[in-house]
Amino acid sequence: MRTADPQAEIMVLDGQFRLAARGVGTMSHDLPAGLYKLKLRTGPEVFEEHVVLAPGSGEVVKDYEERAFVSAAPLANTARTHEYHIAAAQQQSRVPHVTLGQGSSIFVF
């Protein structure tokens, strides 16, 4: 199983809702035939899908698109971020508003 987002958490629950496998970004695991629930989590967003593995079905490959999530920070590919949010953050991050000491910086937007 692969996700376009390398930070997405992948969980596979078996028919008894027990954790059968877990990974981040990609996951490869041998599972017996049965009913499974796949959960992908990126930030606060969760996507779920049921999958049936039939006996003798062999290798099953699933690919998932990157899922947008809501973030207060102006991060790329989030659900409510616009170009003008990113541009404003980039512009203001380069302007020192308070200087205390040397060699370090912190930016709060």
Side-chain angles (χ1 to χ4, degrees):
M1 180 179 328
R2 293 182 297 248
T3 64
D5 181 357
Q7 303 304 316
E9 180 181 16
I10 303 167
M11 293 170 281
V12 180
L13 304 174
D14 67 12
Q16 303 294 311
F17 298 104
R18 294 177 298 214
L19 185 64
R22 177 182 240 156
V24 177
T26 63
M27 186 191 70
S28 178
H29 198 78
D30 290 329
L31 297 169
L35 178 64
Y36 294 90
K37 179 187 272 190
L38 306 179
K39 294 178 100 174
L40 303 177
R41 187 174 69 165
T42 304
E45 300 297 317
V46 177
F47 170 78
E48 297 180 353
E49 178 181 37
H50 290 95
V51 174
V52 177
L53 296 180
S57 61
E59 184 179 10
V60 176
V61 177
K62 304 276 291 174
D63 287 309
Y64 293 94
E65 296 177 1
E66 189 169 26
R67 308 197 58 84
F69 61 96
V70 176
S71 171
L75 302 173
N77 301 322
T78 54
R80 295 188 181 158
T81 298
H82 302 286
E83 295 78 23
Y84 56 87
H85 292 146
I86 295 171
Q90 288 173 338
Q91 177 188 7
Q92 291 301 310
S93 70
R94 293 182 179 100
V95 178
H97 297 279
V98 175
T99 302
L100 297 171
Q102 296 179 355
S104 296
S105 65
I106 186 168
F107 172 65
V108 179
F109 184 69

